[in-house]
Amino acid sequence: MTLCFCLRYNRARSALRWLEKAFGFSPRWVVEGPGPEGVTHAQLVLGTAMLMVASATDDPNGTTQVAPRDVGGVTATAYIVIDDVDAHHARAVAAGAEIVAPPEDQDYGGRHYCCRDPEGHLWSFGSYDPWAPVLDQRSSSSIYGED
């Protein structure tokens, strides 16, 4: 199974350029849509991660996914594992990202920062790799508080 994060933007073409400049995503495939900001479908990659982007539209798919600033909040965030958190943070700041949480070492390991893109989507980047072997050997029942 493969998971791809999908986002809608009001200014999708500008978002594609910004995501490349700020976060290092590379366009893999872009299907342009109508208007100066229109994108029907785009695939961006960063390492082995893929992000799919499209314009917010009035069709059933487009109206179910809107930019956070349009609805007054964020309901999800992407977490992307990176090697150099401080360098990535500096790149995002230079591109104008709104920093929500500056780089900080985490109690559970790794370093992390969080920011918003120009349309309010929340992004988390960190060196903690959740796929790495778990050092705490408790059973899943004790993780959930059931001894």
Side-chain angles (χ1 to χ4, degrees), residues 134-147:
V134 177
L135 298 177
D136 185 345
Q137 297 301 314
R138 295 179 294 169
S139 69
S140 62
S141 63
S142 67
I143 290 172
Y144 295 115
E146 302 164 7
D147 292 322

Side-chain angles (χ1 to χ4, degrees), residues 116-140:
R116 293 185 196 278
D117 68 24
E119 292 197 24
H121 294 289
L122 195 59
W123 295 85
S124 293
F125 295 92
S127 59
Y128 170 74
D129 183 352
W131 288 107
V134 177
L135 298 177
D136 185 345
Q137 297 301 314
R138 295 179 294 169
S139 69
S140 62

Side-chain angles (χ1 to χ4, degrees), residues 82-111:
I82 56 175
D83 291 327
D84 189 337
V85 172
D86 293 296
H88 195 273
H89 171 263
R91 177 182 186 149
V93 168
E98 175 191 339
I99 303 303
V100 174
E104 183 175 55
D105 293 333
Q106 302 299 305
D107 292 341
Y108 53 84
R111 192 161 172 76

